[in-house]
């Protein structure tokens, strides 16, 4: 069956609209055409428009990249630690002192409460922390953070029950020469232990852990 003239006109109009939605660039004297199909705005805006979480969940192990080690060595002993957290973005804001107020509780990320799990007993600032899973949150100050382990698991990060706090540690912070756009947590190996390094904006905090 042959298309009618009206159908042909409609198809041509639709094709023109689709092409107009894409920004095209062609270099002079070149056959290469660059098509930009991304909407305007920064990465966070594009994620929001796509219905994706602007603060995606992440996970870090110690030993570093433990799942890959486990895949290569199936009989490998369990890891020592794991942290599960979300990664909010700076987005042009001043984080500490403004978005995160000094002296207020902070969930160490976004969305669900951050969880830190130890697969064996460890020592932090001279205190023995039994193996197990804990909510990890902080009270940032201008020159130090109070790090808190809490037993109220599987909760939203804005509803922290301080009556279930089990350990508190004060750690110094350092100012960095450049800001970290995305909140980051990672384990770094050191002699006789590891460090849980936390970085966002122009602040770096380190929680020392021995095992």
């Amino acid at each position: 069956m042959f298309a009618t003239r009206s159908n042909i006109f409609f198809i041509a109009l639709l094709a023109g609209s689709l092409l107009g939605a894409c920004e095209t660039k062609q270099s002079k004297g070149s056959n290469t055409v660059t098509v930009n199909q991304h909407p305007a705005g920064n990465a966070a805006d594009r994620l929001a428009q796509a219905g994706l979480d602007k603060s995606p969940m992440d996970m870090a192990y110690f030993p570093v990249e433990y799942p890959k080690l486990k895949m290569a060595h199936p009989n490998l002993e369990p890891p020592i630690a794991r942290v599960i957290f979300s990664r909010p973005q700076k987005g042009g804001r001043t984080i500490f002192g403004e978005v995160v107020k000094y002296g207020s509780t902070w969930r160490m990320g976004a969305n669900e409460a951050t969880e830190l799990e130890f697969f064996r007993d460890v020592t932090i600032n001279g205190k023995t922390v039994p193996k197990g899973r804990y909510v990890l949150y902080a009270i940032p100050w201008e020159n130090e953070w109070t790090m808190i382990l809490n037993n109220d698991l599987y909760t939203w990060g804005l509803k922290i029950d301080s009556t279930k706090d089990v350990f508190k540690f004060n750690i110094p912070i350092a100012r960095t020469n450049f800001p970290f756009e995305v909140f980051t947590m990672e384990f770094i190996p050191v002699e006789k232990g590891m460090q849980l390094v936390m970085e966002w904006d122009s602040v770096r905090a380190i929680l020392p852990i021995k095992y």
Side-chain angles (χ1 to χ4, degrees):
M1 180 180 294
F2 294 100
T4 65
R5 288 187 177 182
S6 60
N7 287 341
I8 293 173
F9 175 77
F10 174 76
I11 293 171
L13 181 62
L14 178 61
S17 299
L18 291 174
L19 289 174
C22 300
E23 178 186 348
T24 62
K25 295 180 181 179
Q26 183 170 4
S27 302
K28 185 176 181 180
S30 171
N31 292 325
T32 302
V33 177
T34 301
V35 179
N36 180 12
Q37 294 177 309
H38 294 295
N42 59 30
D45 292 335
R46 292 197 293 270
L47 287 172
Q49 292 175 22
L52 301 177
D53 195 337
K54 293 188 291 184
S55 302
M57 185 173 289
D58 205 347
M59 181 184 301
Y61 279 90
F62 190 86
V64 177
E65 295 191 339
Y66 175 84
K68 292 182 180 179
L69 298 175
K70 177 76 171 179
M71 185 168 57
H73 306 282
N75 296 323
L76 189 66
E77 63 182 10
I80 298 169
R82 177 179 66 178
V83 64
I84 303 172
F85 63 104
S86 293
R87 306 189 67 190
Q89 302 179 43
K90 173 176 165 62
R93 303 172 296 172
T94 298
I95 301 301
F96 298 104
E98 293 190 12
V99 176
V100 178
K101 304 296 185 184
Y102 291 134
S104 63
T105 58
W106 175 46
R107 55 185 157 180
M108 300 293 297
N111 303 328
E112 294 88 345
T114 294
E115 293 188 357
L116 176 61
E117 185 169 7
F118 296 116
F119 296 85
R120 65 174 71 175
D121 294 353
V122 299
T123 301
I124 302 177
N125 284 6
K127 298 179 181 179
T128 299
V129 178
K131 71 175 183 179
R133 196 168 191 169
Y134 303 89
V135 163
L136 174 67
Y137 70 98
I139 301 177
W141 304 92
E142 192 169 1
N143 297 310
E144 68 175 10
W145 287 3
T146 300
M147 306 295 298
I148 302 169
L149 298 182
N150 180 289
N151 276 335
D152 193 19
L153 296 171
Y154 317 118
T155 56
W156 195 252
L158 293 178
K159 296 185 179 294
I160 297 172
D161 184 356
S162 61
T163 65
K164 296 184 178 180
D165 293 349
V166 288
F167 292 98
K168 293 184 179 182
F169 314 97
N170 289 332
I171 59 173
I173 64 165
R175 303 289 175 180
T176 61
N177 293 327
F178 55 89
F180 289 84
E181 174 63 27
V182 181
F183 175 60
T184 299
M185 301 179 75
E186 61 179 337
F187 291 106
I188 303 295
V190 295
E191 185 177 0
K192 296 183 180 180
M194 57 183 158
Q195 295 176 336
L196 178 57
V197 180
M198 298 150 282
E199 297 166 317
W200 198 20
D201 202 345
S202 58
V203 172
R204 176 185 291 119
I206 297 176
L207 182 67
I209 304 169
K210 296 182 179 180
Y211 59 91

